[in-house]
Amino acid sequence: MEHFLEYIAAISLSAKLIYSILGIVLIRSVFRHFERTLPLRYGDGDRRYHVRKIVTTVCYIIIFAFMVQTGQMVDKRNRGHG
């Protein structure tokens, strides 16, 4: 894990931003697929709406957790060099 943090700290800020954006796009794409396929298993329109709503909420929670975790890893590493 320490080697990974050193690698992350060595990357430029613009590269970190690009990696973060790519990670968010990847997570969103996977959950977009789930939004389209999971509701098809439920016949009732109201149930399909609730499934889509749950999948979207979980997606945003995971993206938020990803952003927080990435920021914490970089922040911890930068404090060590401070």
Side-chain angles (χ1 to χ4, degrees):
M1 185 69 173
E2 188 67 28
H3 297 290
F4 180 69
L5 291 177
E6 289 174 7
Y7 172 74
I8 293 292
I11 297 175
S12 69
L13 183 61
S14 58
K16 290 175 192 173
L17 181 63
I18 290 170
Y19 287 143
S20 295
I21 290 171
L22 289 175
I24 291 170
V25 168
L26 177 68
I27 292 168
R28 182 66 185 132
S29 298
V30 169
F31 276 90
R32 185 75 170 151
H33 172 74
F34 287 145
E35 284 178 350
R36 291 180 182 162
T37 57
L38 286 179
L40 297 177
R41 297 176 186 244
Y42 301 95
D44 187 16
D46 201 33
R47 292 179 98 190
R48 285 191 305 237
Y49 170 75
H50 288 294
V51 169
R52 253 183 273 140
K53 188 174 166 181
I54 289 170
V55 169
T56 302
T57 303
V58 169
C59 174
Y60 287 127
I61 290 170
I62 289 176
I63 287 174
F64 180 73
F66 172 76
M67 290 171 51
V68 167
Q69 181 64 29
T70 303
Q72 285 178 351
M73 286 178 13
V74 171
D75 189 42
K76 283 181 186 177
R77 190 65 195 152
N78 288 340
R79 277 193 221 158
H81 287 293

